[in-house]
Amino acid sequence: MASERDEAAPGLRVHGLSVALGGRPVLRDLSFDVPKGTVTVVVAPSGSGKSTLLRCCNRLLQPDGGTVLLDGADVDGIEACALRRRVGLVGQVPVMLPGTVRDNLAYGLTERDDSGDAALARALAAAGLDASFLDRPADELSGGERARVTLARALTRGPELLLLDEPTAALDAAAAGHVGETLRRLAGDGLGVLAATHDLGFAAAVADRAITLRDGRAVTGTPEEILGGADAERGAERR
Ligand code: ADP
Ligand code: MG
């Protein structure tokens, strides 16, 4: 039973989330927390509802039931643009806008934001790219560099939580390791991180907590418990 103190715990709380798509239940009564300063991974097979879950966390999708709380406040009561700055989503496909990396990072920033080169270079550095990338045309970047620019773009908005959808999908092992280190460092600085992945090695390297989805319900545990189970399931599928 959650205590009152828990209710206001800083971070994201998903409570009783249910979503049906195309008349089929995808998420059912899903509940878990992503405290600030931690990395939580959702490890589950393709089609199990990971992207759907992330989209509900910043109101890109309205669930059929349940609530998502940010620092104890229902996200439905937070204006969508403000919410998406506080809860940044790094999508699976690293979409680049025309222009330079600088243009990509500064896009959508308002007068309240620091869009000076120093701030943009800090976001790039956190994502593992040096400041020389600011002047590079975005359409000339490799897949791994694009993935890091999309992460940096989310960071320029000063998020409190980061949602990442398959962050290693476009990366080789070295780049995936770098992104993993970046996420650990961001969590160390107080960010909450929720990453959906089917990359078990990456999950094991970054996770404080792990969740898997079974028939739309969440099973939460330590990375060892959940990833050990995922390994066993993969083995069973092969047999
Ligand atoms: P994952 O990210 O784990 O691969 P998704 O959240 O993308 O899974 O999808 C979960 C399930 O919902 C899948 O079976 C998918 O086919 C289905 N789905 C996703 N979007 C829609 C949609 N717009 N209409 C109907 N079904 C959808
Ligand atoms: Mg997905």
Side-chain angles (χ1 to χ4, degrees), residues 44 67 83 98 165 195 200 212 225:
T67 49
L83 174 67
D165 201 351
L200 295 181
T212 192
E225 287 162 355

Side-chain angles (χ1 to χ4, degrees), residues 21-22 24 26 44-53 92 165-166 213:
L21 293 172
R24 204 175 64 83
V26 174
S46 185
S48 54
K50 300 182 298 298
S51 298
T52 302
L53 165 63
Q92 184 167 358
D165 201 351
E166 304 280 3
L213 303 176

